[in-house]
Amino acid sequence: MDARVQNPTDSSIGNLFGQLVDDGRGLVRAEVNLYKQIALYRASKAKIGIAALVGGGLLAYAGLIAFMVGLVMGLADLVGPVLGGLIVLAVSGIAAFLLFRFGAGKMAALSGDEDEKAALAAGERLT
């Protein structure tokens, strides 16, 4: 009476779990492939937009250079060509410095603010 009766469905339950794991792997592969295809599709559509942005930026840069040369030439009649160039250099250098400082200050936000750091520290204490 002590003999165990083996359930014939035990081996099929193991097979079902194995099939579940295989199906899960297949699902993950399909999801990764889907997101990869979406990213490639979006990147291919964005190529023309990126090229247009780069072209526009280069044209704007060329226009800025032409404007700076015009300023130097305009000031050359009043104060001479060298001093005109130095004045434009000083004004544009100060503007560039201020823009770099402003941009560097905004980039510091990538490291997180004090509230975020406090929340992360509190989360680390919980684990």
Side-chain angles (χ1 to χ4, degrees):
M1 289 243 167
D2 201 11
R4 292 185 176 172
V5 177
Q6 187 170 355
N7 192 350
T9 61
D10 284 344
S11 63
S12 63
I13 290 175
N15 289 339
L16 287 174
F17 277 119
Q19 184 179 357
L20 178 66
V21 168
D22 290 339
D23 289 346
R25 286 183 186 149
L27 177 65
V28 169
R29 284 189 193 113
E31 288 287 326
V32 167
N33 191 30
L34 172 67
Y35 287 118
K36 183 176 163 183
Q37 292 300 320
I38 289 171
L40 289 173
Y41 173 73
R42 289 180 180 173
S44 69
K45 285 183 73 173
K47 282 181 187 177
I48 295 173
I50 291 171
L53 287 172
V54 169
L58 289 174
L59 283 175
Y61 186 62
L64 181 64
I65 290 172
F67 176 71
M68 294 290 190
V69 169
L71 283 176
V72 170
M73 291 174 66
L75 287 173
D77 292 338
L78 301 173
V79 294
V82 175
L83 187 57
L86 289 176
I87 291 171
V88 170
L89 175 66
V91 171
S92 62
I94 290 170
F97 174 76
L98 292 175
L99 284 172
F100 277 118
R101 290 284 305 240
F102 176 76
K106 293 298 180 183
M107 293 300 287
L110 291 175
S111 65
D113 59 2
E114 294 302 320
D115 293 335
E116 184 180 347
K117 290 178 183 177
L120 287 172
E124 289 175 358
R125 285 191 294 254
L126 292 177
T127 59

